[in-house]
Amino acid sequence: MTYTYFCKKGGVGKTTITGEHAAFLARKGKKVLIISIDDQNSVFEMFGCSGKVFDRDDNYFEHYIARLSSLDDTLIPIRDNLYAVKTLNTDMLSKKLTLERPFERQFTETLKELAEVFDVVFFDLPPSSNRTSELVLDFVETVILVVELNKLGVNGFYNTLQYFVDAGLDMNKIKYILPNCFSKIKSVPTVALEELNALVNEHLNDAQILPSIPEKASIQSLQTKGVSVFDDDLKNLTPYEKLQKKIIEDIFTEFYNSLVL
């Protein structure tokens, strides 16, 4: 199974939601891989593993595609049953994919191989337009479009649809729309959600709009400590952080269980 949370707008929570979904499935016993197609490799930071990105400089995703590193060397364990792969330079990778068709075939074959090794593969993509993202979006089975509930977020939703059209991508792969950062006490998210519903009904009749994930600043506090909401080790958390973690864990558990993947 292959998935990506995607949007053409940055800062909407894609990496956080991807990482927590991967951790959720790994705790349920699935063998899960996150491929970070983003040279910031921020998914490692949210698990407190950013140092592992710099442990070696010969085991990036690009090295594995070119068979300059083995799979065992390329995979970076970040939790039980959960692994990640880091990317060195997404711009250079996209340029090579654009100019060298044999390398494009090699890239796609590599994705197929990894999908056979793991129960679930997530791709953490940047919001920019590039050949790498196009190939990944063409490869994955399911795209979950994350939309931040404000005017710029709704514009990002529309820009994403336009990107699919311009790149010749299959919009039927967008099976879910995830509204993020909802707040009952603010009017902007409510208005944005109404506009989003209208746009989905107009352009994506077969896509399901998921229940909104509420705005939770406390998740950022956990991430600064490298703690996933699905981690069992709580010794470094304050009583307040433990309480907030439980609230967020319940929200994400309900959300991930609602997905038919």
Side-chain angles (χ1 to χ4, degrees):
M1 297 186 291
T2 53
Y3 309 101
T4 185
Y5 288 88
F6 186 68
C7 185
K8 282 289 292 173
K9 181 184 180 299
V12 300
K14 299 187 304 294
T15 297
T16 294
I17 297 166
T18 297
E20 297 296 359
H21 197 172
F24 170 77
L25 292 174
R27 194 166 75 167
K28 291 171 72 73
K30 299 290 186 181
K31 187 178 180 183
V32 185
L33 174 65
I34 303 172
I35 301 179
S36 176
I37 310 289
D38 186 344
D39 37 32
Q40 294 184 34
N41 293 303
S42 53
V43 71
F44 290 89
E45 185 175 354
M46 67 175 284
F47 288 101
C49 299
S50 55
K52 293 185 177 182
V53 174
F54 307 103
D55 279 347
R56 295 175 55 175
D57 61 5
D58 61 349
N59 65 336
Y60 287 91
F61 190 37
E62 292 91 332
H63 293 108
Y64 179 62
I65 298 170
R67 298 300 186 261
L68 298 176
S69 70
S70 68
L71 181 58
D72 287 341
D73 285 336
T74 306
L75 296 177
I76 300 175
I78 53 179
R79 291 294 187 272
D80 290 343
N81 298 321
L82 178 56
Y83 301 83
V85 171
K86 61 187 183 182
T87 299
L88 179 61
N89 189 314
T90 53
D91 288 339
M92 290 300 297
L93 178 59
S94 292
K95 183 177 180 180
K96 189 174 179 65
L97 288 168
T98 301
L99 298 176
E100 301 180 25
R101 285 305 176 92
F103 185 73
E104 181 178 304
R105 289 194 296 272
Q106 194 170 343
F107 177 82
T108 304
E109 288 300 317
T110 299
L111 300 187
K112 292 178 181 178
E113 291 170 10
L114 292 172
E116 292 175 357
V117 173
F118 288 85
D119 297 320
V120 184
V121 179
F122 289 97
F123 294 87
D124 186 28
L125 294 171
S128 57
S129 305
N130 57 54
R131 185 57 181 157
T132 311
S133 293
E134 291 172 11
L135 289 173
V136 170
L137 290 167
D138 186 56
F139 174 77
V140 296
E141 298 164 282
T142 300
V143 177
I144 303 169
L145 208 167
V146 184
V147 181
E148 189 176 13
L149 290 175
N150 54 39
K151 185 62 177 178
L152 290 176
V154 173
N155 287 342
F157 167 83
Y158 189 81
N159 290 339
T160 301
L161 298 190
Q162 190 62 52
Y163 174 55
F164 267 67
V165 172
D166 293 343
L169 297 167
D170 183 4
M171 280 204 291
N172 290 322
K173 291 192 174 187
I174 304 176
K175 297 179 182 177
Y176 293 99
I177 310 298
L178 174 60
N180 195 17
C181 298
F182 182 74
S183 173
K184 293 181 179 179
I185 63 175
K186 298 179 181 179
S187 61
V188 170
T190 301
V191 172
L193 185 58
E194 292 174 355
E195 186 176 353
L196 176 63
N197 274 277
L199 286 171
V200 171
N201 289 333
E202 181 180 355
H203 298 286
L204 294 171
N205 290 328
D206 295 330
Q208 178 184 343
I209 301 178
L210 298 165
S212 304
I213 292 182
E215 191 175 37
K216 284 290 179 183
S218 50
I219 195 170
Q220 296 178 352
S221 175
L222 294 175
Q223 288 183 348
T224 59
K225 293 190 173 184
V227 175
S228 161
V229 299
F230 295 105
D231 284 346
D232 296 320
D233 186 358
L234 309 180
K235 62 178 180 292
N236 292 325
L237 300 184
T238 66
Y240 175 76
E241 288 171 333
K242 292 178 183 178
L243 175 61
Q244 290 300 304
K245 176 185 174 299
K246 181 62 170 63
I247 293 172
I248 301 168
E249 181 180 347
D250 289 344
I251 291 171
F252 276 122
T253 297
E254 181 179 3
F255 161 55
Y256 295 134
N257 280 330
S258 72
L259 297 175
V260 181
L261 300 176

